[in-house]
Amino acid sequence: GQQVMQIPQYQHVQEGEDFTTYCNSSTTLSNIQWYKQRPGGHPVFLIQLVKSGEVKKQKRLTFQFGEAKKNSSLHITATQTTDVGTYFCAVSSYNTDKLIFGTGTRLQVFP
Amino acid sequence: EPEVTQTPSHQVTQMGQEVILRCVPISNHLYFYWYRQILGQKVEFLVSFYNNEISEKSEIFDDQFSVERPDGSNFTLKIRSTKLEDSAMYFCASSEVSKSTDTQYFGPGTRLTVL
């Protein structure tokens, strides 16, 4: 079945440092979504990327979809303590309802 | 802003007992989903539901699981005879349409503990 891997598994940063998580799929994707899950919380939708090579920004967050539509990245500039949580990419293929979540990257930010 | 709601927030049960987890999807959404997340692990798809029938299900969703939309607002997940390994966070989600490009909105989850 389809596999979605994220690296790194954990990242500890000092507040103000940048952070990047990478998502890699074994197959070509129709789209990719990113979710954030705070400790003890539920996945919250952040953004969706559809086009090859697409780049989207949300304030300090930059999302990129690879040219081959098999990988994606999320970059946070100047992390804040409010960025703490686990970031999951989620993918779906054509003709399917389900989201397949990546393994997640847990971000810890130290003040 | 409309939200997906779930009850109860925490359910403790004995192994072998039946549990029903309840969800109220966003009112104008037509597609409903259950996912689970074992502690510290990724979110896993269980089942999708549309037009009063299962649309897609995963290998996890075996005969012990069933879903139902008993009325116009609730969406339930039943586990007939719980096992220790069913202990997890169960998330309900809904979406307006079921295209691979549609956003799924997640509820706050029900933590199921099987003793």
Side-chain angles (χ1 to χ4, degrees):
Chain A
Q2 185 167 31
Q3 306 237 348
V4 184
M5 301 299 295
Q6 281 183 254
I7 54 171
Q9 190 176 4
Y10 302 100
Q11 184 85 58
H12 298 173
V13 300
Q14 205 76 33
E15 190 172 23
E17 291 182 339
D18 292 356
F19 159 76
T20 304
T21 173
Y22 300 91
C23 177
N24 295 288
S25 168
S26 55
T27 60
T28 302
L29 305 168
S30 62
N31 72 93
I32 192 163
Q33 301 180 25
W34 284 93
Y35 287 79
K36 177 183 179 181
Q37 186 177 28
R38 293 183 186 276
H42 61 280
V44 174
F45 174 78
L46 294 176
I47 208 157
Q48 179 176 251
L49 304 171
V50 179
K51 299 176 185 175
S52 168
E54 188 171 16
V55 178
K56 287 188 176 180
K57 292 192 175 185
Q58 286 180 351
K59 298 182 180 177
R60 294 177 295 103
L61 277 60
T62 302
F63 304 83
Q64 187 164 6
F65 203 4
E67 293 290 341
K69 299 184 77 173
K70 294 180 76 172
N71 57 74
S72 180
S73 65
L74 157 59
H75 179 81
I76 303 178
T77 305
T79 54
Q80 299 174 359
T81 54
T82 52
D83 294 326
V84 165
T86 300
Y87 292 84
F88 290 99
C89 61
V91 306
S92 58
S93 297
Y94 299 99
N95 302 318
T96 181
D97 305 330
K98 65 184 177 186
L99 287 175
I100 299 171
F101 279 77
T103 46
T105 296
R106 190 196 298 179
L107 173 65
Q108 182 63 260
V109 180
F110 295 105
Chain B
E1 185 175 321
E3 293 180 332
V4 176
T5 59
Q6 290 185 245
T7 54
S9 57
H10 193 185
Q11 175 89 50
V12 181
T13 189
Q14 294 288 331
M15 190 170 59
Q17 294 296 305
E18 175 184 285
V19 294
I20 297 176
L21 310 183
R22 290 181 168 80
C23 168
V24 178
I26 295 173
S27 61
N28 65 330
H29 286 186
L30 301 177
Y31 292 84
F32 316 120
Y33 313 84
W34 284 101
Y35 291 82
R36 80 170 186 192
Q37 185 178 34
I38 294 170
L39 185 63
Q41 298 187 22
K42 65 178 182 179
V43 178
E44 300 174 289
F45 170 80
L46 292 178
V47 65
S48 59
F49 190 86
Y50 168 69
N51 200 27
N52 281 320
E53 61 182 25
I54 290 173
S55 176
E56 191 172 352
K57 61 182 180 179
S58 72
E59 292 175 353
I60 303 168
F61 194 89
D62 61 21
D63 293 344
Q64 293 300 311
F65 291 87
S66 62
V67 289
E68 193 178 27
R69 186 147 164 88
D71 54 45
S73 60
N74 289 284
F75 178 51
T76 63
L77 174 69
K78 182 192 292 186
I79 309 175
R80 287 190 184 81
S81 177
T82 49
K83 302 187 284 284
L84 295 176
E85 53 265 38
D86 292 328
S87 295
M89 198 76 171
Y90 288 81
F91 293 107
C92 173
S94 69
S95 64
E96 204 167 345
V97 296
S98 178
K99 300 295 181 186
S100 60
T101 54
D102 198 37
T103 300
Q104 295 182 19
Y105 294 89
F106 284 74
T110 292
R111 181 173 299 283
L112 177 64
T113 302
V114 182
L115 303 176

